[in-house]
Amino acid sequence: MTDLSAPIKPAAMTMEARAPGLALRSLVIGLTAFLTVVDLFATQAILPSLARHYDVTPAAMSFAVNASTFGMAAASLVIGFLSPHIDRRTGILLSLALLALPTGLLAIAPNLAVFTALRVAQGLCMASAFALTLAHLGEQCSAIDAGGAFAAYITGNVASNLVGRLISAAIADGLGLAWNFYLFAALNLAGAVLVYFTIRRVPPMHAAAPAASPLKATIAHWRNPQLRAAYGIGFCILFAFIGTFTFVNFVLVRPPLSLGMMDLGLVYLVFLPSVVTTLLAGRVTSRIGARPTIWGSLAVAGIGLPLMLTGRLPEVLTGMVLVAAGTFFAQAAATGFVGQTATEHRGVASGTYLACYFCGGLVGTAVLGRLFDAFGWHACVTGVGIALAAAGLLALNLKR
């Protein structure tokens, strides 16, 4: 195993140096991200089965499944605010270990209310680990390595969307819904074990010198038009992503496509190109800047939207590929931008960004769920397009 912190000397290293063992470290970073958020979207692959199990509407089940984003938004704010006082290794380790509890209990949730509460609890644990890891990377990576590190972390997130959904569909189809959640609880514990062996306790970089209080830092971050725009972009990105990959499940299982459960899981091979392309986000952003990178990414996602309205599987899958690649690439660019733009209290900045990001997911579920139930898939896709356009307008405020 590689130590994510071993090559870094927080107090003395030059911020332009490239750390040794970068490839192996990026692999571990990506795997940590994978095991942190593998539960987040994997459950979307079995949404139709869950809706039948609890006998509720698509919008109600989708809101329950995506209630984890509420917990993630709340935890991101709290962890970001308390970040200077939390040991990174201990916080990440405990978050992943505790995550296994609500994940396992989902297997025996008796009704939708309990299911929703457990998803919120999952979100609290996932976001704690997510925010602390991003803060750790922002503090311990050089300026050159930071873009690649953040891209590796988001790539692990992408992989969790793909592999998590495949696993979820396969287990639910073969062994039932309960075993699906037991398996993901075991993966959460595996993440805790990985962190135990790969992250050692190091002081955060800002600890060596006095800095503003977290509250003052938060206010200063919100006054920064670039960070404020990045927060809005994060909100719009997950709004669009949730709107696409939550409700398209119901489109795929209905006529004329009429896919089965295992086929629905295999559909999420559409995330495979994103695993490759997202790794390039740090390099592209460093070369051409965050604003053109995000614009290009959003344009790619926008091109995919009309393809998903055709009712023909090849075109729908192509549209899903483009939306996934575009939104993940934009997310990696925006995440790295926040980590490098915040001059102090990067944990606070990352936490605020994640809170806005996950709020976008929750609002997207509520708003687009209503549109989907009342007016259908075309209205839902229109809402996604508006969110992408809003993110593009916000990117005008980003500077290289």
Side-chain angles (χ1 to χ4, degrees):
M1 286 292 185
T2 183
D3 188 330
L4 298 189
S5 308
I8 313 299
K9 297 180 180 179
M13 84 175 275
T14 61
M15 290 304 290
E16 296 302 325
R18 185 175 291 278
L22 185 61
L24 181 58
R25 196 157 63 99
S26 295
L27 176 63
V28 175
I29 289 170
L31 187 56
T32 302
F34 174 89
L35 294 171
T36 299
V37 295
V38 68
D39 313 79
L40 181 58
F41 296 118
T43 311
Q44 289 182 348
I46 55 173
L47 263 172
S49 294
L50 287 169
R52 288 193 297 270
H53 178 76
Y54 288 106
D55 193 24
V56 294
T57 66
M61 195 68 245
S62 298
F63 186 83
V65 165
N66 291 313
S68 54
T69 57
F70 174 78
M72 297 188 85
S76 296
L77 278 177
V78 173
I79 294 299
F81 193 83
L82 299 178
S83 179
H85 310 291
I86 300 176
D87 176 76
R88 306 293 187 241
R89 181 179 184 273
T90 302
I92 299 168
L93 188 62
L94 286 177
S95 297
L96 290 175
L98 291 174
L99 175 58
L101 293 177
T103 303
L105 289 173
L106 281 169
I108 55 173
N111 54 54
L112 195 63
V114 174
F115 186 97
T116 303
L118 290 172
R119 286 293 284 174
V120 172
Q122 277 188 304
L124 291 170
C125 297
M126 281 187 278
S128 299
F130 201 101
L132 288 172
T133 304
L134 288 182
H136 175 79
L137 295 177
E139 292 164 349
Q140 303 303 320
C141 291
S142 70
I144 290 179
D145 289 341
F150 285 119
Y153 197 72
I154 301 302
T155 301
N157 187 347
V158 178
S160 74
N161 273 270
L162 167 60
V163 180
R165 291 171 198 257
L166 289 173
I167 292 173
S168 186
I171 297 300
D173 190 44
L175 300 176
L177 291 173
W179 279 101
N180 168 76
F181 296 112
Y182 292 141
L183 175 62
F184 283 106
L187 290 176
N188 299 149
L189 293 176
V193 172
L194 178 66
V195 168
Y196 180 84
F197 286 106
T198 59
I199 297 181
R200 66 178 176 86
R201 186 175 286 108
V202 290
M205 290 181 66
H206 59 70
S213 70
L215 178 59
K216 290 182 178 179
T218 301
I219 295 172
H221 291 158
W222 276 105
R223 287 176 176 171
N224 184 326
Q226 296 197 75
L227 286 176
R228 196 164 59 239
Y231 297 159
I233 291 169
F235 179 96
C236 293
I237 288 173
L238 195 60
F239 185 106
F241 181 87
I242 286 282
T244 301
F245 291 101
T246 295
F247 299 105
V248 75
N249 292 284
F250 296 100
V251 175
L252 291 170
V253 299
R254 293 173 180 174
L257 299 177
S258 303
L259 299 185
M261 178 57 63
M262 197 57 227
D263 291 331
L264 185 61
L266 291 174
V267 158
Y268 286 98
L269 288 170
V270 296
F271 288 121
L272 194 57
S274 301
V275 176
V276 178
T277 58
T278 306
L279 280 172
L280 304 174
R283 186 179 303 175
V284 173
T285 305
S286 297
R287 179 165 297 181
I288 68 174
R291 182 166 56 187
T293 300
I294 290 174
W295 275 344
S297 304
L298 296 174
V300 169
I303 292 171
L305 296 182
L307 295 175
M308 293 191 298
L309 299 174
T310 62
R312 295 184 295 272
L313 188 59
E315 286 90 337
V316 172
L317 295 180
T318 301
M320 293 172 70
V321 168
L322 293 175
V323 173
T327 52
F328 278 123
F329 208 93
Q331 159 70 345
T335 303
F337 179 83
V338 170
Q340 295 177 47
T341 301
T343 55
E344 64 178 26
H345 280 298
R346 287 191 174 95
V348 175
S350 294
T352 305
Y353 172 81
L354 290 175
C356 294
Y357 177 73
F358 293 121
C359 276
L362 186 65
V363 174
T365 302
V367 172
L368 297 177
R370 290 291 186 90
L371 288 176
F372 183 80
D373 277 354
F375 304 106
W377 178 231
H378 281 69
C380 184
V381 171
T382 300
V384 171
I386 292 172
L388 294 177
L393 290 174
L394 287 167
L396 285 168
N397 295 295
L398 305 184
K399 298 179 181 178
R400 188 162 182 170

